[in-house]
C-alpha cells in the first residue's frame, strides 16, 4: 500500500477525529486532508511530478506534516534534512538529491541562502515574503480536492540522510512498501491500539519521527506537535493532551525526567514508551519505570536502512537488552572483520562477540544508498546488511549491543567494548554520563580513557578508580587509566556519541 492511500483511508474512516494539534489549533482528519490537497494540487501546478525530490528544512509543525502527505499523494519524494547540519553537509545533500523544490523557514534560511544549486529549485518560505512564494500562498493557490496519483508501493516515498559520525551523510531511499511494513511492525512491537496519541518529538528528518507520524495516522490517532519543544513544554503537552505513547531517544527521556517541574504534571495517560537511536543506561531505564510507570516499555534497535533489527520489551528484567529479531527479520552474528572479509556463513559460537548482520530481503529493508554504489556494496553483501555493530547473545538468545567494530579497542591483548565500561561508570551515583575511547600506549597498545560528566562535582579520579577496581564487571585491563571531566559528551542529533571529538579533547588535554 502506498502512503498517500494510507492517509486517505484514515481520513475516510474517521474524518471528524482530531488528527493534529499545534498550540491552540486542532485539526480533524478532514480538515488536515483539505490543506494537504491544496498543497498537493499547488505543487503539481508548479511542476512537481512523480519521483521529484522536495527538500524540506522545517521543524516539526503542521506545515511539515501537510507537505509530507501532499508529497505522498503526488508520488514525489519527501526529502527532509536537519537544520543542524553543517553548511558543508547541507550543500552535499542538496547536490546529491537535486531537489525540484526547497521548503524552509527562518531558522533554516541561512543554510538555504548559502547553498549553491546547479539547477535552481523553486523556493517556498514558511513566512510571508520568503522565497518564490510563501507556504500560505501555496495553500491559497490549491484546491481542496485532489485525486492522488497511482503510485506503486515499490516506488520511493522518502529519502532520509543518515547522520553518520564520520564522512558525508548518505541518502537512504525508502519505498512505500518499506515505510508501510516498518509502520505495521512498529505498531505491533509497541502494542499500539486505535486512537493512540503521541507527541511529535523526533524530527521528520529522522526515521523515528516518520515512524511516529505514520503509526498514529494508521491508527487514526492524535499527533501533537510544538515547533520549539523544551522539556517543560513537552511535559505540559503530555499532561494536557493526555498523551498515551511516546517514542524518543534516551537523552530526551533524561531531560524530561530531570526537569525540575516534572512532579507538577499528571502523566498517568502515558502508558507506552519506547526508545531507539542510542543505548539507555540501566540507571535511566530504572528511572523511566519508577517515574513514568509504563505498561509497555520497548528498546527498539534498528537503523534508517532497515527500520527494525530487534526489540526488547522486558527491560525491567533485562535493562539495556536489545532482545530478539523483529517480526520481519533474520539476524546473525559473524566474525568481526573491519576489512569486510567476513561472510554470512562465518557465524560465531554462542556466547561470543560478533558483528550483527540483518537479512536485507525483508519488506523493511532499503535497496541501496542514493548515488552511492560503493557504500551499498560495502553495507549489503550476499543479501545481508552489515551493521558495523558488535553484539553477543545471552543464554536466552537475547541480543546485547557491546559497541562498534570501528570503536573496539585492544588493551593488553584483550578486545574491549567501550559500551560495557560506560555502563559501569554510569552506575556510579556521582556520574551523570560517561563515554570511553582508546588512546595509543607503548606498553598496553591502547589504554582506556574515560570522559565523565559529573552529577556531583565532588567526585574524584581516585574515587572512580576505586569504584572500578571493586566492580565485578571490570577487569584490570578494562579499567580506565585516564579520566577527563567534561560538561557534556559530544553527540549526533540521534544521540550517538561522537568519539572522534572525544579524541580531539583528549589530545588537546595532553598538549
Amino acid at each position: 500500500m502506498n502512503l498517500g492511500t494510507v492517509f486517505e483511508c484514515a481520513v475516510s474512516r474517521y474524518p471528524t477525529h482530531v488528527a493534529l494539534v499545534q498550540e491552540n489549533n486542532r485539526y480533524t482528519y478532514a480538515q488536515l486532508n483539505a490543506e494537504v490537497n491544496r498543497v498537493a494540487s499547488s505543487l503539481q501546478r508548479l511542476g512537481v511530478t512523480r519521483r521529484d525530490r522536495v527538500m524540506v528544512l522545517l521543524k516539526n509543525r503542521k506545515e511539515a506534516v501537510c507537505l509530507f502527505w501532499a508529497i505522498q499523494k503526488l508520488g514525489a519524494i519527501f526529502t527532509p534534512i536537519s537544520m543542524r547540519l553543517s553548511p558543508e553537509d547541507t550543500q552535499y545533500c542538496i547536490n546529491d538529491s537535486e531537489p525540484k523544490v526547497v521548503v524552509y523557514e527562518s531558522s533554516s534560511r541561512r543554510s538555504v541562502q548559502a547553498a549553491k544549486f546547479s539547477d535552481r529549485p523553486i523556493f517556498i518560505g514558511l513566512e510571508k515574503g520568503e522565497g518564490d512564494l510563501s507556504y500560505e500562498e501555496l495553500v491559497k493557490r490549491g484546491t481542496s480536492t485532489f485525486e492522488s496519483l497511482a503510485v506503486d508501493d515499490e516506488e520511493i516515498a522518502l529519502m532520509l540522510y543518515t547522520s553518520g559520525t564520520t564522512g558525508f551523510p548518505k541518502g537512504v531511499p525508502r519505498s512505500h512498501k518499506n515505510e508501510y511494513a516498518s509502520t505495521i511492525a512498529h505498531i505491533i512491537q509497541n502494542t499500539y491500539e486505535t486512537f493512540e496519541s503521541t507527541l511529535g518529538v523526533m524530527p521528520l528528518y529522522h526515521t523515528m519521527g516518520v515512524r511516529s507520524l505514520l503509526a498514529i495516522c494508521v491508527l487514526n490517532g492524535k499527533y501533537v506537535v510544538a515547533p520549539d519543544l523544551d522539556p517543560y513544554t513537552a511535559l505540559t503537552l503530555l499532561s494536557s493532551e493526555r498523551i498515551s505513547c511516546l517514542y524518543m531517544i534516551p537523552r530526551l527521556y533524561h531531560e524530561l525526567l530531570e526537569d525540575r517541574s516534572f512532579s507538577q504534571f499528571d502523566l498517568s495517560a502515558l502508558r507506552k514508551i519506547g526508545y531507539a537511536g542510542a543505548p539507555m543506561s540501566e540507571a535511566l531505564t530504572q528511572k523511566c519505570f519508577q517515574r513514568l510507570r509504563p505498561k509497555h516499555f520497548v528498546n527498539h534497535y534498528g537503523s534508517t536502512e532497515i527500520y527494525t533489527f530487534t526489540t526488547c520489551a522486558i527491560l525491567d528484567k533485562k535493562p539495556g537488552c536489545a532482545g530478539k529479531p523483529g517480526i520481519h527479520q533474520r539476524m546473525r552474528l559473524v566474525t568481526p572483520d573491519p576489512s569486510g572479509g567476513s561472510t554470512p556463513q562465518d557465524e560465531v559460537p554462542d556466547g561470543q562477540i560478533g558483528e550483527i548482520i540483518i537479512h536485507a530481503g525483508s519488506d523493511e529493508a532499503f535497496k541501496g544508498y542514493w548515488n552511492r554504489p560503493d557504500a551499498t556494496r560495502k553495507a549489503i553483501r550476499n543479501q545481508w546488511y552489515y551493521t558495523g555493530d558488535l553484539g553477543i547473545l545471552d543464554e536466552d538468545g537475547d541480543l546485547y549491543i557491546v559497541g562498534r567494530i570501528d570503536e573496539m579497542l585492544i588493551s593488553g591483548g584483550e578486545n574491549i567494548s567501550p559500551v560495557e565500561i560506560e555502563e559501569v561508570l554510569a552506575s556510579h551515583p556521582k556520574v551523570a554520563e560517561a563515554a570511553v575511547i582508546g588512546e595509543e600506549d607503548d606498553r598496553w597498545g591502547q589504554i582506556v580513557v574515560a570522559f565523565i560528566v559529573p552529577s556531583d562535582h565532588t567526585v574524584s579520579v581516585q574515587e572512580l578508580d576505586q569504584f572500578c577496581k571493586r566492580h565485578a564487571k571490570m577487569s584490570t585491563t578494562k579499567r580506565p587509566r585516564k579520566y577527563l571531566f567534561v560538561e557534556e559528551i559530544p553527540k549526533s542529533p540521534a544521540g550517538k556519541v561522537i568519539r572522534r571529538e572525544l579524541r580531539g579533547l583528549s589530545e588537546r588535554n595532553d598538549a
Side-chain angles (χ1 to χ4, degrees), residues 297-313:
F297 187 7
V298 178
N299 174 12
H300 176 271
Y301 168 51
S303 71
T304 306
E305 292 85 349
I306 302 178
Y307 177 66
T308 308
F309 296 164
T310 65
T311 63
C312 181

Side-chain angles (χ1 to χ4, degrees), residues 275-432:
Y275 74 91
M280 181 181 281
S281 69
E282 184 172 348
L284 181 54
T285 301
Q286 290 173 349
K287 285 180 183 177
C288 285
F289 276 115
Q290 292 165 359
R291 299 184 186 181
L292 298 176
R293 301 185 182 280
K295 178 181 177 182
H296 195 69
F297 187 7
V298 178
N299 174 12
H300 176 271
Y301 168 51
S303 71
T304 306
E305 292 85 349
I306 302 178
Y307 177 66
T308 308
F309 296 164
T310 65
T311 63
C312 181
I314 51 170
L315 298 173
D316 52 336
K317 300 178 182 67
K318 295 184 175 184
C321 181
K324 289 183 167 58
I327 62 173
H328 295 126
Q329 308 305 354
R330 285 187 285 158
M331 177 189 72
R332 291 180 183 175
L333 299 187
V334 299
T335 304
D337 185 351
S339 68
S342 63
T343 72
Q345 286 69 47
D346 296 330
E347 292 187 74
V348 299
D350 290 346
Q352 286 193 17
I353 292 174
E355 180 179 3
I356 302 160
I357 63 173
I358 307 294
H359 197 264
S362 84
D363 286 351
E364 293 186 45
F366 83 137
K367 296 296 187 290
Y369 296 106
W370 185 265
N371 293 334
R372 290 290 304 275
D374 57 328
T376 301
R377 285 191 297 270
K378 182 179 179 181
I380 303 176
R381 306 198 294 272
N382 300 309
Q383 274 293 293
W384 288 83
Y385 175 71
Y386 283 69
T387 67
D389 292 331
L390 297 171
I392 189 168
L393 299 176
D394 68 10
E395 63 276 5
D396 300 319
D398 287 323
L399 178 70
Y400 285 82
I401 314 301
V402 298
R404 296 275 303 170
I405 284 183
D406 53 6
E407 293 171 356
M408 186 68 75
L409 57 103
I410 303 174
S411 182
E414 183 177 355
N415 291 333
I416 299 173
S417 163
V419 174
E420 56 183 328
I421 303 173
E422 290 163 357
E423 190 71 39
V424 170
L425 291 168
S427 67
H428 191 284
K430 294 183 181 180
V431 173

Side-chain angles (χ1 to χ4, degrees), residues 180-197:
Y180 183 71
S182 299
T183 299
I184 297 304
H186 185 75
I187 290 169
I188 293 170
Q189 289 155 184
N190 288 275
T191 70
Y192 289 173
E193 301 171 85
T194 307
F195 310 135
E196 295 278 8
S197 56

Side-chain angles (χ1 to χ4, degrees), residues 49 106 112 137 164 187 189 241 253 287 360 407 417 427 459:
T49 60
S106 58
V112 172
E137 291 172 310
I187 290 169
Q189 289 155 184
E241 293 294 335
Y253 282 105
K287 285 180 183 177
E407 293 171 356
S417 163
S427 67
V459 67

Side-chain angles (χ1 to χ4, degrees), residues 63-168:
E63 294 84 354
V65 172
C66 289
L67 280 160
F68 178 88
W69 292 120
I71 291 164
Q72 301 313 315
K73 289 194 176 194
L74 285 166
I77 302 174
F78 183 74
T79 310
I81 63 170
S82 169
M83 292 184 285
R84 295 181 179 181
L85 288 179
S86 68
E88 188 178 22
D89 281 349
T90 300
Q91 182 67 61
Y92 175 83
C93 293
I94 288 167
N95 291 341
D96 189 51
S97 63
E98 300 178 301
K100 186 78 166 279
V101 174
V102 174
V103 188
Y104 67 97
E105 58 180 283
S106 58
S107 301
S108 52
R109 180 192 302 119
R110 184 175 297 178
S111 296
V112 172
Q113 290 179 344
K116 297 177 182 178
F117 299 86
S118 53
D119 290 313
R120 187 186 182 280
I122 298 165
F123 294 111
I124 298 174
L126 188 66
E127 292 82 12
K128 289 182 179 180
E130 289 285 348
D132 297 312
L133 74 163
S134 69
Y135 178 85
E136 184 179 339
E137 291 172 310
L138 185 77
V139 173
K140 285 181 178 179
R141 293 181 183 186
T143 58
S144 59
T145 57
F146 180 81
E147 187 173 340
S148 296
L149 301 183
V151 179
D152 186 85
D153 63 4
E154 293 284 4
E155 291 194 42
I156 304 304
L158 65 144
M159 181 157 66
L160 304 177
Y161 277 86
T162 57
S163 55
T165 55
T166 59
F168 285 118

Side-chain angles (χ1 to χ4, degrees), residues 208-222:
M208 294 173 68
V210 175
R211 201 63 51 232
S212 289
L213 174 65
L214 285 172
I216 289 301
C217 175
V218 168
L219 298 169
N220 275 104
K222 179 175 67 175

